[in-house]
Amino acid sequence: MALRVPLKWLQDYVEHGLPADELAERLTLAGLEVESITAIGAGWAPDKVVVGRIARLDPHPDADRLCLATVEYGAAAPLTVVTGAPNILGYLSAGLPEQPLIAPFAMVGAELIDGHAGDGRKLKLKAGKIRGVVSEGMVCSEMELGLSENHEGIMLLPADAPVGAPLVDYLGDQVLEFDIKGGFAHLLSVFGVARETAAITGKPFNRAPLEAGEPGEAPISASPSFVQLEIADPDLCARYTAVLVEGIKVCPSPFWLQQRLLRAGQRPINAVVDVTNYVMLELGQPLHAFDYQTLRPDPGGEKPVIRVRRAKAGERMRTLDGAERTLDAEMLLITDGGGPVAIAGVMGGADSEIGDDTADVMLEAANFEFLSTRRTSQVLKLRTEAGDRFGKRMDPELCLRASLRAARLIAEICGGTVRAEYGDLYPRPFQPRTVELELPFLHRLLGVEISQEEVVAILRALEFEVREGEPLRVSPPSYRLDVTMAADLVEEVARIYGYARMSPTLVRDELPPQVRNRRLDGSERMRDLMTGCGLDEIITYSIISRQEDARLNPAPDADPPDGKFLAVQNPLADDRAHLRRRLLAGLLNTARENLRFQERVALFELGVVFHPVAGQVLPDEPLRLCALLAGRREPGSWHGGQDAAMLDFYDIKGVAETLHAGLEIENLSWQRGSDPAYHPGRSAIIVIGETEVGRLGELHPRVVAAFGLPPNPVCALEIDVEALLQLWREDRTMEPISIHPPILEDLAFIVDESLPAEQVRALIAQTGKPLLVEVALFDLFRGPALGPDKKSLAYALTYQAPDRTLTDKEVAKVRGKIVRRLESELGAVLRGEI
Amino acid sequence: MLETLDALKGEGLQSLAGLERAEDLPDWHRAYLGRKGRLTEALRGLGALSAEQRPAAGKRANEIKQELEAAFGRRQDELREAALEASLAGGGIDVTLPGRPVGPGHLHVSTRSLRRIREIFGEMGFQVYEAPEVETDENNFGLLNIPPYHPARDMWDTFWIDEGVVLRTHTSPGQIRCMREYFPHPIRVILPGKCYRYEQITPRSEHQFFQVEGLAVGHDIRMTDLIGTMREFARKMHGGGRELRIRGSYFPFTEPSIEIDMDCLLCAGKGCRVCKYTGWLEVAGAGMVHPVVLRNGGYDPAEWSGFAFGMGVERPVMLHHGIEDIRYFYGNDLRFLRQF
């Protein structure tokens, strides 16, 4: 949560004596991260922008809407400026007020924000004539000074502002903006930051604002004369306090208070609201101000009742922002005799809001259960500063002090008196607790020996009570509800002691058993094989459009080919709301985008996909590899020929073969595939044993078109990584290399067109064992001479024996066996030696 | 007879010297030394000689045969050499034409970075532990000491899959899985992987990204070990002289929690736009494993301690390569990917 702390305000509570950047660094190192430092008045040149007094007003000789102001600013002779500020013009006829008119005054040469441009543009003030009269400077609006967006009139300063002083001295400041993480309510206030600053710097801490809220002698009870307090659900409300300020007159806040609020990021409204905001920023306790006269008693009762209870399911109320809210039974309400007046800790109701004619104010300072408050705020989608603060563990001891501090300030500013009895219902009072800290534990966890003396000093500086001994017995203050165990104390000590003082070490603890991660090693091997084939790796989004995936099945009205998708309940965009089941669509989209700039794409992705499984909370996340080739084999190559042709089935098959060879996987077979995403005649599944480990081929032309790709072959390979890695062999035994010369011969067979070549090769290889050591297809020929539906397959055969030189006779015998077997089993005809 | 042989030799040598083309050599060889060549024919004539003349003539004929063979060999070499010279002189190609492409493809820039990170931690004994991307609310939050509606949940904008099921917002849920699997052994692992956060896609933010989590659990794991390990990593990953700045922080699953900054890669700590003029870059969030988390993982915090850290993968890559827009990573423009 962001917090803005003006340094002049901070200095009221701790005189740290550090420049802003050094203070920011010290706080950041201790865990209060300063995101930025904003200098207010950085652009106000001390000799050009000063506090001025409007000593005289004269009419402009030539314009009704302008006047001439004579400004004294400490120099011997005043200067005259032309102004049309509406909040000044009125004094022209009425005469100057009793209180001196003090305003920021900029001389020629000063740099200001251009109030008319409205976009923060800067301008340098030049001497110039306005309607014929020379203006020797300018009296400035808040916007021109960069203080706010207000450009309605000039900014008026308090009567006691030192005329002639540089404005930067009087009004300049520096604001630290923090990002306070987690649930640390105690850091979300100027007072809290001051307390940390004091602990870090060792400077004294001024507790005046807390002392200003001392209850003193006045009676405190759950039933003071002005209100009856009841907490029906103490599990959600540990404390409720009420203080009454009577006979006030709602007015604007004084200058100093408005300035502090503005710097802390709050817009001033009226003194009552401003004071509640001010005390919230100062001490951290959110306050709520009710117009006391609107609070109702129970029917027949006399004094108003405040009842803190859970809402009834479906109960409704109108909140301050004008919205009608429907509540559920887990939401905590503040009600009076007539019904809901506030959603506890989140927002007040419209009916009891402070108005201009409010005369009596009842201040609420309570302590609500933080998780419940956050839930209410989230369910209602209603974020408020109070809700954000109550959504963290607040200090229950702070309530009454904060409301008294505020009540006294309101009485001071708006007149009126604080009723000398206070309402306080505290069903679950703060229980001080003791956390034991053994120094050896601290030393073991940090690796640093910090002396007991220093540990105790740090904890005490943070207002922890410490009883020395072994172990240390430590009581955290009431605002440190986050500290519950020894490790929490170690953190407090470590961050104040300073991590910079700890010397780095290397782990000396026992090394755990080291094991191989075969899935990862195999995946990386596959990535290397793919890049080795010239493919570029891509990583696409896991959250996809299901409609796009559906395009992989070109059949009209087809169901998604692979069953159900996992849906994201709160997607960034409605058309990207599902988790991918398959990588292919992502590659196709990537191919389309890249083919706008490239003649060829060769891509792969390796990642998990998501398959919901009935009866299982979490989906299966199988690891998949998908490769895609499209375009020319070698675009832009001047070598021509094969290089320039379109990539086709045999290119992707080459990639698949390289993958299998690289993993030393054997005995795989290629069978016709039936995946509707693929071309029915130009696709295959890869089968090893009984297992399908992948599929490949040219994609169906309708799929290619559906993804907006040009009408050329697009080839894909999809691999089930884990299934394939099951077969990854790394245990191969070396085969001896024969020193005896091989005999080479070529054989060609005429077979039916429909006969898969692999069958021919396999039969040759099987029959030729063991002397036939290699069979390679080197020619495929079709022609009228062979007859229709026939093809000729020509193989280069290598015969070799490990232990002797083969004779022609031995080879002839094997050859004869091969030929006979092919003739009888496959109907092949030997085409003759080539 | 000897004269005839000598004449034959002279004629042969002369004829051989006159040959200028290597392809004419076989004809010459056939003509003089072949089975039906002139020397063979001359040798047949030996039969007509007397027994006294025959040995001398035979010897002579053999000498001449060897001489002619030798001369043939020399001439052959000469002509081959000359032909080679000629071809080298005339066969020049345009060496400026592009070569036939054989180059390997490119690994994704994130993969390259992940490999380097794994390698560095591997050298320090950290093994890789992988965990699922779709996680239970309990593993992603609850067991990491972040109960429902806890204010710490604001730190992660979450994609919800179902009641109690999320796309993991960080790699930290792997800590719970890993501890429950490894107990009672000590642990030293990194957990790299994809994470998801409900964030609009802009030049500075992505809804999908990589994180690397680290976890060490043992009987003697210290905060200073964490700092030392991270310094070792920073120096191996980003260069020898790197300095770290450790500051206090808050994470619900570590206690104490720290944040680790490194002196800015671009300005060496002097302050620049990239480090927002602080001189420091955030490297990792880290801390000592929270006792509650240790216990949830099965390890008794009275006996065991541990450290954990988590860091982004893309951000340092962007700094290294001057990439200003994170959308390049998963936009998969090959004109980008092929640069690395």
Side-chain angles (χ1 to χ4, degrees):
Chain A
M1 189 173 159
L3 173 75
R4 292 150 71 101
V5 175
L7 285 190
K8 280 189 174 165
W9 190 352
L10 185 75
Q11 259 144 11
D12 279 2
Y13 315 136
V14 55
E15 288 187 29
H16 51 81
L18 297 173
D21 53 351
E22 203 179 320
L23 175 66
E25 169 85 5
R26 300 274 294 269
L27 289 169
T28 296
L29 289 177
L32 283 81
E33 187 179 355
V34 176
E35 297 245 286
S36 64
I37 305 174
T38 307
I40 291 173
W44 307 338
D47 57 335
K48 297 270 189 314
V49 185
V50 299
V51 178
R53 186 169 82 93
I54 300 176
R56 235 183 107 126
L57 284 178
D58 293 298
H60 189 286
D62 210 16
D64 294 345
R65 313 287 300 160
L66 295 174
C67 65
L68 308 181
T70 305
V71 182
E72 291 173 353
Y73 63 100
L79 293 172
T80 303
V81 302
V82 179
T83 176
N87 60 339
I88 292 297
L89 221 48
Y91 295 120
L92 193 56
S93 48
L96 288 177
E98 212 168 287
Q99 290 274 331
L101 276 183
I102 310 282
F105 173 55
M107 284 171 260
V108 171
E111 268 210 346
L112 297 171
I113 309 280
D114 186 342
H116 296 289
D119 58 1
R121 196 179 305 170
K122 285 193 172 162
L123 62 82
K124 195 162 198 172
L125 203 56
K126 284 185 284 225
K129 287 185 176 175
I130 302 174
R131 290 284 197 103
V133 179
V134 175
S135 184
E136 296 170 305
M138 193 157 106
V139 280
C140 310
S141 70
E142 288 181 10
M143 183 192 271
E144 282 157 342
L145 293 167
L147 288 172
S148 77
E149 298 300 299
N150 188 358
H151 191 51
E152 283 299 289
I154 62 165
M155 182 179 190
L156 289 175
L157 303 177
D160 61 357
V163 174
L167 189 69
V168 62
D169 291 352
Y170 180 63
L171 218 51
D173 202 348
Q174 282 174 303
V175 180
L176 301 187
E177 187 168 335
F178 293 87
D179 176 21
I180 304 289
K181 289 193 182 134
F184 296 135
H186 69 285
L187 297 178
L188 284 171
S189 63
V190 179
F191 197 65
V193 172
R195 186 157 45 206
E196 287 278 315
T197 306
I200 293 164
T201 58
K203 296 285 171 61
F205 179 43
N206 175 5
R207 289 181 181 75
L210 268 192
E211 285 152 15
E214 283 286 352
E217 303 293 311
I220 302 174
S221 78
S223 189
S225 57
F226 61 90
V227 71
Q228 174 67 41
L229 301 181
E230 286 176 34
I231 298 176
D233 292 302
D235 57 325
L236 300 186
C237 180
R239 187 177 189 184
Y240 194 99
T241 68
V243 175
L244 186 64
V245 193
E246 295 164 291
I248 64 153
K249 176 141 184 34
V250 176
C251 61
S253 299
F255 182 79
W256 66 268
L257 201 156
Q258 292 200 7
Q259 283 302 312
R260 285 193 168 178
L261 287 181
L262 279 171
R263 278 153 211 219
Q266 292 265 3
R267 203 164 45 86
I269 295 166
N270 62 49
V272 176
V273 176
D274 290 355
V275 165
T276 59
N277 282 332
Y278 179 79
V279 173
M280 173 174 75
L281 294 169
E282 181 186 56
L283 294 175
Q285 169 75 44
L287 300 165
H288 186 67
F290 293 103
D291 182 335
Y292 177 67
Q293 296 305 332
T294 67
L295 295 177
R296 296 156 290 189
D298 279 337
E302 277 178 13
K303 62 182 177 183
V305 157
I306 288 289
R307 200 168 279 122
V308 185
R309 61 158 170 88
R310 283 182 165 85
K312 300 175 191 104
E315 196 168 355
R316 295 164 74 89
M317 78 169 288
R318 199 159 63 89
T319 41
L320 270 175
D321 55 359
E324 187 78 19
R325 310 269 172 188
T326 306
L327 311 163
D328 70 31
E330 278 308 304
M331 294 174 181
L332 194 68
L333 282 183
I334 313 296
T335 63
D336 68 0
V341 292
I343 301 172
V346 180
M347 193 177 264
D351 298 341
S352 54
E353 191 181 355
I354 301 296
D356 290 343
D357 51 358
T358 299
D360 306 315
V361 174
M362 195 187 89
L363 289 177
E364 161 203 291
N367 188 282
F368 303 115
E369 205 279 321
F370 73 112
L371 292 180
S372 158
T373 311
R374 273 179 56 87
R375 181 189 169 278
T376 301
S377 173
Q378 284 183 13
V379 173
L380 293 177
K381 295 190 170 56
L382 184 58
R383 267 196 94 156
T384 58
E385 171 117 23
D388 278 358
R389 289 167 179 275
F390 277 123
K392 302 174 170 67
R393 285 194 187 90
M394 295 282 311
D395 175 11
E397 293 287 279
L398 191 58
C399 298
L400 190 58
R401 281 171 184 263
S403 56
L404 276 171
R405 157 84 168 140
R408 286 162 186 165
L409 259 180
I410 289 172
E412 201 179 304
I413 295 166
C414 304
T417 49
V418 179
R419 178 80 69 95
E421 49 172 339
Y422 315 131
D424 186 359
L425 194 52
Y426 199 178
R428 285 192 297 122
F430 167 68
Q431 303 288 345
R433 61 200 178 286
T434 302
V435 180
E436 294 185 350
L437 176 62
E438 293 175 11
L439 280 188
F441 173 76
L442 180 138
H443 296 155
R444 177 165 73 88
L445 207 57
L446 294 180
V448 180
E449 305 253 329
I450 305 175
S451 71
Q452 173 160 331
E453 193 186 350
E454 193 166 1
V455 169
V456 170
I458 289 170
L459 290 173
R460 283 185 178 151
L462 290 169
E463 303 189 331
F464 289 70
E465 268 175 42
V466 184
R467 264 178 295 156
E468 293 196 52
E470 188 57 45
L472 296 177
R473 300 175 62 79
V474 183
S475 297
S478 61
Y479 56 85
R480 290 308 304 269
L481 293 168
D482 58 302
V483 175
T484 58
M485 53 178 83
D488 297 328
L489 294 173
V490 174
E491 172 167 273
E492 295 304 311
V493 172
R495 69 189 183 87
I496 302 295
Y497 174 84
Y499 291 102
R501 289 167 67 192
M502 300 183 190
S503 305
T505 55
L506 285 180
V507 183
R508 64 183 178 194
D509 198 56
E510 174 193 352
L511 186 70
Q514 301 281 301
V515 290
R516 170 108 190 260
N517 188 332
R518 207 160 175 274
R519 181 174 179 266
L520 178 66
D521 289 353
S523 305
E524 293 301 304
R525 172 96 184 115
M526 288 189 184
R527 284 194 168 93
D528 286 337
L529 288 164
M530 288 295 107
T531 55
C533 289
L535 275 59
D536 294 318
E537 186 186 16
I538 62 168
I539 298 175
T540 63
Y541 292 136
S542 304
I543 303 175
I544 54 131
S545 150
R546 189 172 62 167
Q547 286 71 32
E548 275 181 9
D549 235 54
R551 291 186 200 148
L552 292 174
N553 189 348
D557 307 321
D559 284 334
D562 285 316
K564 276 181 70 83
F565 287 83
L566 223 55
V568 178
Q569 301 303 319
N570 55 333
L572 284 171
D574 289 341
D575 61 343
R576 299 187 74 88
H578 293 86
L579 294 188
R580 64 188 185 188
R581 289 192 55 94
R582 192 172 180 179
L583 301 176
L584 187 52
L587 275 88
L588 278 162
N589 287 330
T590 306
R592 179 190 57 242
E593 293 311 307
N594 281 286
L595 281 170
R596 290 160 53 212
F597 309 106
Q598 324 266 348
E599 275 193 276
R600 165 189 187 265
V601 293
L603 309 169
F604 77 96
E605 178 166 12
L606 198 154
V608 297
V609 296
F610 305 87
H611 293 176
V613 180
Q616 218 172 279
V617 176
L618 296 181
D620 281 351
E621 295 186 13
L623 192 57
R624 290 288 154 85
L625 168 70
C626 183
L628 181 144
L629 303 176
R632 299 198 178 280
R633 194 159 288 133
E634 281 305 340
S637 166
W638 58 279
H639 301 283
Q642 275 287 304
D643 288 354
M646 286 294 173
L647 289 157
D648 65 20
F649 177 86
Y650 295 105
D651 290 287
I652 196 72
K653 189 173 176 195
V655 171
E657 285 167 339
T658 305
L659 179 69
H660 291 110
L663 296 170
E664 296 166 48
I665 292 170
E666 292 164 350
N667 305 323
L668 50 99
S669 66
W670 311 84
Q671 299 168 9
R672 271 290 168 82
S674 62
D675 185 323
Y678 287 85
H679 188 301
R682 296 174 157 267
S683 60
I685 56 172
I686 307 167
V687 178
I688 301 173
E690 299 287 295
T691 323
E692 181 189 332
V693 296
R695 52 190 69 172
L696 81 167
E698 294 176 19
L699 293 176
H700 197 292
R702 279 205 287 266
V703 171
V704 173
F707 278 87
L709 286 146
N712 295 313
V714 174
C715 311
L717 165 69
E718 294 172 279
I719 294 287
D720 180 340
V721 171
E722 272 141 316
L724 197 64
L725 287 179
Q726 293 269 316
L727 305 156
W728 178 21
R729 287 186 51 191
E730 296 170 287
D731 57 351
R732 190 184 273 272
T733 312
M734 182 194 160
E735 285 180 17
I737 298 166
S738 174
I739 54 164
H740 301 281
I743 292 182
L744 310 175
E745 68 172 3
D746 296 340
L747 289 180
F749 294 95
I750 299 165
V751 295
D752 285 348
E753 180 65 68
S754 60
L755 185 67
E758 174 57 21
Q759 275 190 39
V760 181
R761 190 206 63 83
L763 195 60
I764 296 174
Q766 193 201 3
T767 315
K769 267 193 227 172
L771 295 182
L772 179 67
V773 293
E774 211 177 308
V775 189
L777 180 74
F778 71 90
D779 188 44
L780 169 63
F781 174 73
R782 298 178 179 91
L786 301 178
D789 301 325
K790 295 284 181 190
K791 63 187 173 191
S792 158
L793 300 168
Y795 292 91
L797 278 57
T798 306
Y799 302 93
Q800 195 173 31
D803 52 350
R804 65 189 192 281
T805 302
L806 289 178
T807 63
D808 287 346
K809 226 169 124 187
E810 281 177 287
V811 169
K813 212 169 130 193
V814 179
R815 183 202 308 132
K817 233 166 89 185
I818 292 172
V819 172
R820 279 195 302 281
R821 200 144 172 224
L822 261 68
E823 281 171 352
S824 66
E825 292 185 25
L826 300 176
V829 175
L830 182 66
R831 204 172 153 218
E833 258 180 281
I834 300 159
Chain B
M1 187 63 204
L2 291 176
E3 293 77 28
T4 320
L5 287 171
D6 284 341
L8 184 61
K9 173 187 157 192
E11 207 180 307
L13 290 177
Q14 199 180 359
S15 149
L16 186 64
L19 295 180
E20 292 297 339
R21 304 187 316 162
E23 49 268 44
D24 295 335
L25 282 170
D27 286 345
W28 181 92
H29 194 270
R30 216 170 296 121
Y32 285 91
L33 296 166
R35 271 191 295 169
K36 292 174 185 165
R38 293 177 57 187
L39 187 64
T40 319
E41 251 163 53
L43 286 172
R44 272 195 208 114
L46 287 177
L49 291 182
S50 67
E52 298 82 52
Q53 288 174 312
R54 219 180 289 159
K59 185 172 171 240
R60 186 79 185 128
N62 269 326
E63 284 168 6
I64 288 174
K65 184 177 180 183
Q66 278 164 18
E67 278 172 55
L68 286 177
E69 284 284 6
F72 176 81
R74 278 196 304 278
R75 188 66 189 147
Q76 198 173 30
D77 288 350
E78 280 166 21
L79 287 180
R80 273 188 194 155
E81 199 63 24
L84 180 61
E85 287 299 329
S87 83
L88 291 177
I93 55 161
D94 181 355
V95 298
T96 66
L97 283 170
R100 285 200 178 80
V102 288
H106 300 79
L107 284 175
H108 193 281
V109 64
S110 295
T111 301
R112 286 180 10 143
S113 185
L114 283 165
R115 281 191 176 183
R116 183 77 190 116
I117 293 169
R118 281 201 304 262
E119 196 175 42
I120 293 169
F121 282 110
E123 287 166 5
M124 292 191 268
F126 287 79
Q127 309 180 73
V128 172
Y129 185 89
E130 287 165 302
E133 294 176 17
V134 176
E135 260 296 5
T136 58
D137 182 312
E138 178 142 58
N139 281 340
N140 196 77
F141 292 120
L143 293 170
L144 293 170
N145 200 27
I146 320 168
Y149 298 109
H150 192 276
R153 288 208 175 191
D154 287 352
M155 294 164 81
W156 300 273
D157 293 311
T158 310
F159 281 118
W160 291 89
I161 298 296
D162 229 325
E163 181 85 33
V165 180
V166 302
L167 269 169
R168 67 174 172 193
T169 56
H170 47 181
T171 40
S172 307
Q175 286 189 28
I176 296 292
R177 291 176 175 272
C178 181
M179 283 193 274
R180 289 184 171 180
E181 192 177 316
Y182 273 59
F183 183 80
H185 298 288
I187 299 175
R188 220 170 294 172
V189 296
I190 56 168
L191 305 92
K194 264 182 216 143
C195 303
Y196 304 85
R197 285 194 197 161
Y198 184 86
E199 265 182 42
Q200 298 299 330
I201 304 167
T202 72
R204 307 297 294 164
S205 69
E206 253 295 1
H207 75 283
Q208 171 181 317
F209 54 92
F210 281 97
Q211 232 186 27
V212 176
E213 186 94 358
L215 176 68
V217 177
H219 292 287
D220 184 25
I221 299 287
R222 304 160 294 171
M223 172 64 83
T224 51
D225 293 342
L226 169 59
I227 299 172
T229 301
M230 295 313 287
R231 188 174 73 172
E232 192 80 358
F233 169 74
R235 291 181 173 181
K236 281 185 166 156
M237 188 80 185
H238 301 294
R242 296 262 79 94
E243 287 301 333
L244 297 187
R245 177 177 81 163
I246 311 297
R247 54 191 164 87
S249 189
Y250 167 77
F251 300 104
F253 33 87
T254 47
E255 192 76 38
S257 300
I258 58 171
E259 212 132 354
I260 297 157
D261 299 338
M262 179 178 72
D263 53 328
C264 178
L265 287 169
L266 297 180
C267 63
K270 287 192 215 48
C272 66
R273 194 172 57 86
V274 170
C275 60
K276 295 186 201 147
Y277 302 96
T278 61
W280 299 102
L281 297 171
E282 289 185 17
V283 176
M288 303 307 289
V289 181
H290 197 287
V292 168
V293 177
L294 273 179
R295 202 174 292 119
N296 288 339
Y299 291 81
D300 178 359
E303 283 178 42
W304 299 84
S305 59
F307 69 65
F309 58 83
M311 57 186 166
V313 172
E314 290 85 357
R315 198 68 61 194
V317 172
M318 292 173 76
L319 294 172
H320 259 302
H321 298 295
I323 303 165
E324 300 218 325
D325 191 331
I326 198 171
R327 291 174 298 186
Y328 277 118
F329 281 76
Y330 309 113
N332 294 310
D333 186 333
L334 290 174
R335 294 171 300 175
F336 167 76
L337 295 176
R338 285 181 182 163
Q339 290 183 33
F340 305 101

